[in-house]
Amino acid sequence: MGKAWKFEDNLNTDEIIPARFNITIDERELASKVFCEVRPDFAPGVQPGDVVVASWNFGCGSSREHAPIAIRGSQVRCVIAASYARIFFRNAINIGLPILECPQAAAEINEGDEVEVNLTSGEIFDRTTGRSFQAKPLPEFVLKIAEAGGLVRFLKEHSLEELVE
Amino acid sequence: MGTLVEEIFARRVGHSVEPGEIVLLDVDAIMSHDNTTPLAIKAFREIGKPLRDPDKVVIHFDHAYPAPNLLAAENQQKITRFVREQGIRHFYRRGVCHQVMIEEGFVRPGGILIGADSHTVTYGALGAFSTGLGSSEVGAAWVTGKTWFRVPQTILVRLEGQTQPGVYSKDVMIALAGQLGMDGATYRCLEFAGSYIDELPVHARIVFANMSVEVGAKCGLIAPDQRTVDYLQRETKAQPPFEVFQAINPRYERVIEMDVSTLEPQVACHPDVDHVKPLREVAGLEIDQVYIGTCTNARYEDLEIAAGILRGRQVAPYTRTLVTPASQTIYEKALANGLIQVFLDAGCTVNAPGCGACIGRHGGVLAPGERAFTTMNRNFIGRMGSPDAEIYLGSPATAAATALAGKIADPRPYV
Ligand code: SF4
């Protein structure tokens, strides 16, 4: 269980991690700057297991993987958003950052709510309000990558062809 | 059969495809740059398998080049070592990756290219499917030579009529972004067509493909035609034969129509690309820095338009005006034809080809409270430096007129 940190619509990759900090690929260093401009309280305050709750088009903008890596580095349990920008979605799956798509949860979970998430089933439970939500299931081939823990790990054991079988 | 993207995918896989289907595609080129290559190398090393075809790998130094600080220098050193170790021949330090990809002949109609950069969509203007991916996928593609895609739905954008003097493809694209919104085409392919596109020179078509990602699109395509072929032959090292093809009995998710003939110059205002206003509503806003550059609008023709306005005049005394040609090739041509002299005489600063001020790391970083007018494609908060700076986007002509006035100004009196 963890606390919800709420974010707005169209949160872009520069807002997740400003371009000037992308010079490093060190996960901890990136995590120390994550959301630094839109939520300066996030990096110092986030606890392992907290969840990022965002709205529509989360992660739009650049293709930089630094953005999901910075979020992963903050040790949040997952991101819940109404929808994701295309490249961010792929990147999150590829680097093994759990993400759930659920417009209702994104709209109804409040800042600071205690939230429980079952990543396998996609069930989301807001303890504070007592409401539960069901996230969209991931497409099967995407699940294969996610279950392996990301694309790199998947490719160590498998071939790309297995994705579309 | 199908929309342009379906047609390109079908040619590659050898059977027709439907939106929603997952396809595994061989790619012609895998592009990355100084900003995204280090993570790709990390992924590649972790996978631990050999590079499938070094000749498909194209690496550019453009984002922070020449290195402005020690970290950037170390990154570039690492990449250079990797390039040498792996025998990668396609290694460029000649300007913005996307422009160089086109000039050096990697882009051909019907081609399939991926890149660790969101503006990889740029090549769609020449009838190639190209899109941005993350570094891990680039590292993976180095190993597999392939990548997967879900066949996207297509939105047709039909543009009719001719723009008035002083109004450019950038203005049309900004107007469209305002209409579609920043997630208006997420996961979709945008196909640009109509009499306006038919008559439009290829350098100006590129703006549409380039900015299609600004509304979330997976790709932005224009059917290759005779203009495309002429452009490839004249301006690039791409080797013929070039295919000319069109959508056949396409089914579009929706169709957007716009008559461009009454359009005025447009500005995308701080802080979102879909925060669009006609220029007259923001004219007079004071500007600290004008930046003419980037993969959107720093081609030779763009510089020519700006130089036409700046020739024999002086930029405003408190407005830094930076010109960064998109590539070395463009720089050479601008130099040979006297455009660089025009910029220097007008009081501009001409920077080395590359991304320059676009990502706020060098070549024109903004201070808190400053306001920039640029020919870039996105105006995210903090993009050019301080998060307390503002970025406005418009055409090269508007940028030049703005540089002269020191405030956002209409280019039409000059053209
Ligand atoms: S010029 Fe700007 S938008 Fe284009 S590739 Fe470089 S950083 Fe990206």
Side-chain angles (χ1 to χ4, degrees), chain A residues 9-18 33-38 64, chain B residues 380-381:
Chain A
D9 278 4
N10 291 323
L11 200 92
N12 64 53
T13 44
D14 280 69
E15 288 166 320
I16 297 173
I17 181 88
K33 298 289 184 330
V34 67
F35 301 122
C36 64
E37 276 152 18
V38 281
R64 70 182 69 119
Chain B
F380 294 163
I381 290 173

Side-chain angles (χ1 to χ4, degrees), chain B residues 251-265:
Chain B
R251 262 197 310 245
Y252 295 110
E253 189 186 52
R254 66 189 174 113
V255 178
I256 295 169
E257 313 216 13
M258 190 194 276
D259 176 4
V260 302
S261 56
T262 53
L263 195 76
E264 313 168 44

Side-chain angles (χ1 to χ4, degrees), chain B residues 278-299:
Chain B
L279 186 149
R280 66 186 143 76
E281 286 181 24
V282 284
L285 214 56
E286 283 201 41
I287 295 295
D288 302 290
Q289 175 168 305
V290 168
Y291 176 45
I292 299 173
T294 80
C295 54
T296 317
N297 275 130
R299 298 194 168 74

Side-chain angles (χ1 to χ4, degrees), chain B residues 62-63 96-98 117 119 294-295 355 358-359 377 383:
Chain B
D62 60 350
H63 272 58
V96 187
C97 53
H98 306 305
D117 188 280
H119 292 103
T294 80
C295 54
C355 300
C358 190
I359 45 160
N377 43 37
R383 174 96 179 159

Side-chain angles (χ1 to χ4, degrees), chain B residues 284-290 309-310 312-322 343-349 399-409 414:
Chain B
L285 214 56
E286 283 201 41
I287 295 295
D288 302 290
Q289 175 168 305
V290 168
I309 294 171
L310 295 169
R313 301 189 170 97
Q314 285 295 309
V315 301
Y318 301 116
T319 306
R320 307 183 296 270
T321 302
L322 315 175
F343 294 131
L344 296 176
D345 290 345
C348 306
T349 301
T402 298
L404 293 176
K407 37 194 160 181
I408 297 182
Y414 300 100

